[in-house]
Amino acid sequence: MTHKTPENPPWTPQPLQSPIVWSIAGSDSGGGAGLQADLRALEAFGVHGCTAVAAITAQNSVAIECIEPVSAALLEAQLAALAADMPPAAIKTGMLGSAANVDVLVRWIDRLREANPGLPVVVDPVLRATTGAALADGSLLHAYRTALLPRATLITPNRAEAAALLMIQLNPVRAEPVEALRQAQGERFNASAIRYETLSSRTDVEQAATALMALGCKAVVITGGDHAGVNSEDYAATPQASGWLSLPRVDTPHHHGTGCVFASSAAAALARGFVAIDAIILAKMATTHALRHGYAAGSGAGPVRPRTDFALQAQNLPCFSIPGQTSVQGFAALSDPDLGLYAVVDSAAWVQRVLSAGVRTVQLRVKKTPAPRSGPSPLDSVIRDEVRASIKAARAANAQLFINDHWQIAMEEGAYGVHLGQEDLVTADLPAMAHAGLRLGVSTHAYWEVCRAWALQPSYIACGPIHATQSKDMPWVPQGNNNLAYWSALLSRSGGLPVVGIAGMNADRVSQAMTCGAAGAAVITAITAAPSPEAAMAQLQQAVVAGNALLRQPVPLLPQSTLH
């Protein structure tokens, strides 16, 4: 099979619309963090950044010399001016300077949510600078806990900040809980004198995330930038999914502004319609890429540099942990990565039929109980018979056959490969499957599912639904060809993993899938419900060839969100 030799100039970006994101934070005179970093991050996402200055700093790359909060009246005036003409699609907060400024901010959040109840608010709880300077006193910490966190869509503390927000740090001399000290000392309470208790273990971090959500946050990511290790590991707890995100740590001295870039990136992704866990993943990708391009600007740590192509580099795609699973080294590669027409059928008889029509990539997807061939037979035995007969037929045709879901039987019968959904990844014996040499395909519908599949390094990744489908009820928004072109560029062209487009395929759409860079297009009803399945398969195979001969579709800088 000839595979996509013609192509447009690679990575042709499609323009992004520009939602408005407010950044309410401190100004960094050195240009490395704060509002200055926020604007660079927002620009990398193609959103328009508006700023409200909450504090002014005199700083450079070495130290913060002076911090002065703006008055609550001045912050009020800035937010009123923005609201009158440029209402936000999301808000990001950084250094807020004073408890009085928090009061102003939360009143505006409540007011804006009267018109836009789903307005996302990302809180970066800036309590201490990288240089060690304290940026929050006791009253401001209290305002975070009682007023701002309950209104947060997402908070992005590092481990030390998470500990501070939870008041689990101790006074180094008297070992009294901080909340007791704050109440006893009142205005004399000095948060900068408090030692942060370390969240040292994964269990510590996971429990801290749960405790922070109990304060009212809808989602939490505790970042690992302040924790040593070969990998940079963040723990995310969100309504959609929770777990650890991991990437190799970028070895650079130029890391000023990473927390600001992370939080602003998450706010930009939320403004673009992504749910919290996907916004966190995009933030990690953007920040990692910015670290790779950090540069010196002064004698201390230089700033990170956000760039627009961060989401097109597979090296920035994090691995996302699968509940209850340990790491897997990876699965065997496909015999033929050019999957082409990928027929999904529900019986061994259909497997034989599509193989006879020349299809060489097939999935046996037994969702209904097949009738026993003779006499009573346990369900397991019936399915095993279907699997065994399908394997025999595929071997005779030198075809790639994947067994959907029934991985135990597939492994026992020596199948070529298995295709699993996200739910099956939690219960399957993935190490045993990899050790047995099975090829693995994984269904994905959103960033977090792609990252879970990516962590396994499967044989291919299926992305969908590309188009609306009648074969399965799903909550996902159809992704369309733009998303398929994006995933093919990220996972296949940059990451080396074949991509299969799934759902709603007919001959025209199969041809389009090939122009998107997909290695295969999965087809069900266009074959099995056709008046003449053989004629339909011939047309679909011709569509694969025709699509491979056409120019590729442009690749967007970002996909569209698939879950709202």
Side-chain angles (χ1 to χ4, degrees):
M1 181 185 297
T2 303
H3 188 58
K4 304 171 192 68
T5 49
E7 101 175 48
N8 285 335
W11 313 95
T12 305
Q14 293 180 328
L16 298 171
Q17 294 179 342
S18 298
I20 290 173
V21 176
W22 289 4
S23 172
I24 305 166
S27 175
D28 177 356
S29 57
L35 294 169
Q36 289 80 356
D38 293 345
L39 288 175
R40 292 194 296 270
L42 297 175
E43 184 177 3
F45 275 80
V47 306
H48 179 75
C50 295
T51 60
V53 182
I56 298 172
T57 70
Q59 65 175 294
N60 51 36
S61 67
V62 178
I64 297 178
E65 304 294 345
C66 180
I67 301 172
E68 186 169 321
V70 305
S71 68
L74 180 54
L75 181 60
E76 170 79 32
Q78 293 177 79
L79 298 180
L82 290 177
D85 182 50
M86 308 174 80
I91 294 174
K92 178 264 178 182
T93 75
M95 185 198 307
L96 295 175
S98 69
N101 282 348
V102 174
D103 290 341
V104 170
L105 172 59
V106 298
R107 287 198 300 271
W108 270 105
I109 291 172
D110 292 346
R111 199 174 305 163
L112 291 165
R113 280 179 171 169
E114 291 177 3
N116 180 11
L119 175 66
V121 174
V122 177
V123 175
D124 180 13
V126 180
L127 306 177
R128 186 174 293 271
T130 306
T131 58
L135 304 177
D137 60 15
S139 61
L140 180 52
L141 182 61
H142 182 70
Y144 267 112
R145 284 170 50 84
T146 59
L148 192 53
L149 296 192
R151 292 171 169 82
T153 307
L154 170 66
I155 65 170
T156 64
N158 60 28
R159 292 191 180 199
E161 290 164 342
L165 290 170
L166 291 170
M167 299 287 190
I168 61 175
Q169 67 277 41
L170 302 175
N171 179 280
V173 177
R174 300 173 58 190
E176 291 187 58
V178 161
E179 182 62 20
L181 287 173
R182 188 191 67 78
Q183 292 177 358
Q185 296 179 8
E187 292 183 359
R188 294 182 294 107
F189 174 65
N190 181 9
S192 65
I194 301 303
R195 175 173 61 87
Y196 293 160
E197 192 71 15
T198 302
L199 299 177
S200 57
S201 71
R202 283 193 165 206
T203 300
D204 289 342
V205 173
E206 292 166 7
Q207 291 177 347
T210 300
L212 287 167
M213 292 186 75
L215 293 177
C217 312
K218 291 185 174 63
V220 177
V221 56
I222 299 179
T223 62
D226 61 336
H227 186 70
V230 175
N231 291 329
S232 170
E233 295 188 315
D234 309 329
Y235 182 74
T238 78
Q240 302 84 32
S242 298
W244 288 89
L245 291 161
S246 179
L247 273 172
R249 191 176 296 276
V250 178
D251 184 13
T252 175
H254 305 307
H255 47 67
H256 191 41
T258 52
C260 303
V261 167
F262 188 100
S264 297
S265 297
L270 289 169
R272 289 202 164 279
F274 289 95
V275 295
I277 186 61
D278 285 349
I280 291 167
I281 288 167
L282 282 163
K284 188 168 183 68
M285 294 178 72
T287 306
T288 300
H289 200 55
L291 280 162
R292 296 189 200 283
H293 294 88
Y295 60 95
S299 58
V304 298
R305 178 185 285 165
R307 292 166 60 103
T308 58
D309 62 343
F310 72 91
L312 292 172
Q313 312 295 323
Q315 63 179 342
N316 297 330
L317 190 65
C319 296
F320 191 27
S321 63
I322 301 170
Q325 293 285 12
T326 56
S327 60
V328 177
Q329 296 303 311
F331 286 80
L334 299 174
S335 305
D336 184 358
D338 294 341
L339 294 158
L341 176 59
Y342 186 159
V344 181
V345 295
D346 63 3
S347 69
W350 265 109
V351 169
Q352 182 61 67
R353 190 170 182 178
V354 298
L355 292 172
S356 297
V359 179
R360 288 298 174 263
T361 306
V362 186
Q363 182 183 136
L364 175 64
R365 182 175 179 262
V366 181
K367 292 298 184 182
K368 295 181 180 180
T369 305
R373 288 188 173 82
S374 60
S377 178
L379 175 59
D380 181 81
S381 178
V382 173
I383 294 174
R384 188 178 297 273
D385 287 345
E386 293 290 316
V387 170
R388 188 175 292 162
S390 298
I391 291 173
K392 181 179 179 180
R395 283 177 178 165
N398 195 27
Q400 300 179 122
L401 172 71
F402 297 89
I403 309 301
N404 183 281
D405 291 353
H406 302 289
W407 59 268
Q408 301 101 321
I409 295 175
M411 191 163 57
E412 292 164 4
E413 295 297 329
Y416 175 83
V418 173
H419 183 93
L420 298 179
Q422 292 286 316
E423 301 84 359
D424 302 303
L425 294 180
V426 177
T427 57
D429 190 342
L430 298 171
M433 292 165 55
H435 181 73
L438 266 71
R439 280 74 173 177
L440 175 66
V442 181
S443 292
T444 66
H445 309 87
Y447 259 111
W448 89 82
E449 293 189 349
V450 168
C451 289
R452 281 191 169 154
W454 181 251
L456 300 173
Q457 286 297 289
S459 309
Y460 70 84
I461 291 179
C463 297
I466 303 304
H467 307 284
T469 177
Q470 304 297 321
S471 63
K472 187 176 181 180
D473 291 331
M474 289 187 284
W476 311 98
V477 177
Q479 299 203 41
N481 289 324
N482 279 348
N483 272 28
L484 183 55
Y486 170 81
W487 293 122
S488 298
L490 176 65
L491 298 173
S492 184
R493 195 185 306 180
S494 179
L497 280 182
V499 169
V500 174
I502 56 176
M505 293 290 176
N506 55 30
D508 288 341
R509 290 170 174 175
V510 165
S511 180
Q512 293 166 13
M514 297 299 105
T515 68
C516 292
V523 179
I524 304 176
T525 55
I527 294 174
T528 59
S532 172
E534 281 70 24
M537 285 185 277
Q539 184 182 21
L540 290 163
Q541 288 172 303
Q542 291 170 3
V544 170
V545 174
N548 279 331
L550 296 174
L551 294 176
R552 291 188 186 180
Q553 295 195 21
V555 178
L557 291 170
L558 287 172
Q560 297 295 313
S561 174
T562 58
L563 186 64
H564 299 291

